[in-house]
């Protein structure tokens, strides 16, 4: 008898299947269908589940094993990059250009990928989450001038004291790394211990990400997603961070 992957029903509050390996299916693929409503998305992230699919496919929901995770005190910057930051005028801000960040993440070419999983539908869903105060971006600008160009950025979803990273981009060498490091340092100072990076890549591992067994990841995030942190923009609290401080 062939295994049928679970299809989600129309109720955005319906539970997801329990994560587990399904023979014959890609590792981590958990369910198909449903929608990208805020209720469904936040329910998914609380359970360590995220959507990932391409144009023309139904919505695919994933919980990979192992998970790729950064400790917020564990992002590694090379000595060379630290030196370049000390000489730079780059600054980081939060939630000042979320739409620009997600759009740049969607269209920037990536090695080994012919297209993007950040479809128009996905962009609209995360922009909605952002307007509700649940999705956030960190932008890196070339300087603190009002018209300074973006040189990199990252966006993701915050639930409680857990940040689930979705994507990042660089318009200049090191732009995404600087955004990740600025985000991690800001979260670390507020006792947010982890940033989810979903699926490993050599670049993420080089920057200090670690593989975490799914069961341990789900145990780790369970108390974090229940922390009573209200949604809302981070712009004012984040302020403007001169990234030369990351070079020390």
């Amino acid at each position: 008898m062939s295994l049928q992957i679970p299809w989600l029903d129309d109720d955005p509050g319906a539970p997801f299947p329990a994560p587990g390996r399904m023979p014959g299916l890609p590792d981590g693929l958990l369910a198909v269908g449903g929608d990208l409503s805020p209720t469904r998305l936040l329910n998914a992230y609380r359970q360590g589940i995220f959507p990932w699919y391409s144009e023309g496919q139904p919505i695919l929901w994933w919980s990979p094993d192992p998970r790729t995770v950064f400790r917020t005190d564990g992002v590694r910057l090379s000595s060379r990059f630290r030196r370049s930051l000390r000489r730079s005028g780059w600054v980081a801000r939060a939630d000042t250009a979320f739409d620009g960040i997600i759009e740049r993440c969607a269209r920037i070419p990536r090695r080994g990928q012919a297209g993007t999983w950040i479809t128009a539908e996905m962009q609209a869903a995360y922009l909605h989450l952002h307007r509700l105060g649940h999705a956030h971006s960190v932008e890196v600008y070339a300087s603190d001038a009002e018209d300074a160009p973006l040189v990199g950025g990252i966006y993701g979803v915050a639930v409680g004291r857990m940040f689930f990273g979705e994507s990042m981009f660089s318009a200049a060498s090191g732009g995404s790394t600087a955004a990740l490091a600025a985000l991690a340092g800001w979260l670390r100072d507020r006792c947010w211990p982890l940033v989810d990076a979903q699926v490993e890549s050599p670049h993420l591992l080089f920057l200090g990400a670690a593989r975490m067994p799914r069961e341990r990841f789900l145990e780790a995030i369970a108390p974090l997603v229940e922390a009573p942190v209200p949604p809302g923009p981070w712009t004012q609290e984040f302020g403007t961070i001169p990234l030369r401080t990351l070079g020390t």
Side-chain angles (χ1 to χ4, degrees):
M1 184 175 66
S2 61
L3 179 67
Q4 297 295 318
I5 185 169
W7 277 79
L8 300 178
D9 63 28
D10 293 335
D11 177 8
F16 283 85
R21 184 178 291 276
M22 296 185 182
L25 294 177
D27 176 47
L29 182 57
L30 192 67
V32 178
D35 57 31
L36 296 176
S37 66
T39 297
R40 179 102 61 184
L41 282 169
L42 293 174
N43 186 29
Y45 282 106
R46 287 188 189 98
Q47 300 174 66
I49 299 165
F50 58 89
W52 188 24
Y53 63 102
S54 298
E55 192 73 53
Q57 293 181 325
I59 301 172
L60 305 178
W61 299 91
W62 301 80
S63 180
D65 185 17
R67 196 66 164 242
T68 304
V69 182
F70 284 96
R71 293 200 61 83
T72 55
D73 62 358
V75 175
R76 290 198 298 259
L77 303 179
S78 69
S79 297
R80 181 179 180 182
F81 186 53
R82 287 181 184 274
R83 286 195 300 271
S84 72
L85 285 177
R86 287 198 295 269
R87 297 191 299 267
S88 82
W90 288 5
V91 299
R93 301 188 179 103
D95 290 341
T96 61
F98 185 92
D99 54 347
I101 295 297
I102 194 170
E103 193 271 335
R104 295 287 288 273
C105 286
R107 65 181 172 86
I108 196 164
R110 298 178 191 274
R111 186 178 302 172
Q113 296 180 7
T116 179
W117 74 95
I118 310 174
T119 63
E121 181 184 33
M122 289 274 276
Q123 290 185 55
Y126 286 87
L127 282 167
H128 191 184
L129 272 188
H130 173 65
R131 288 192 292 269
L132 295 174
H134 298 290
H136 302 279
S137 59
V138 169
E139 300 87 28
V140 175
Y141 293 94
S143 74
D144 61 1
E146 288 188 7
D147 59 348
L150 280 168
V151 296
I154 186 171
Y155 80 94
V157 176
V159 182
R161 289 195 299 115
M162 181 66 201
F163 189 84
F164 298 90
E166 275 295 315
S167 188
M168 55 187 183
F169 85 96
S170 291
S173 179
S176 62
T177 299
L180 171 64
L183 168 67
W186 188 77
L187 294 176
R188 178 197 63 220
D189 292 345
R190 283 149 187 81
C191 299
W192 294 42
L194 301 175
V195 171
D196 175 35
Q198 298 181 347
V199 180
E200 74 175 67
S201 70
H203 180 60
L204 294 176
L205 297 177
F206 174 78
L207 293 176
R211 304 176 185 94
M212 183 180 290
R214 178 171 54 208
E215 183 176 356
R216 187 151 63 89
F217 173 77
L218 297 177
E219 290 174 353
I221 71 169
L224 298 175
V225 299
E226 297 301 326
V229 179
W234 287 355
T235 309
Q236 185 173 353
E237 186 180 0
F238 196 95
T240 299
I241 299 175
L243 294 188
R244 62 178 178 273
T245 62
L246 298 180
T248 58

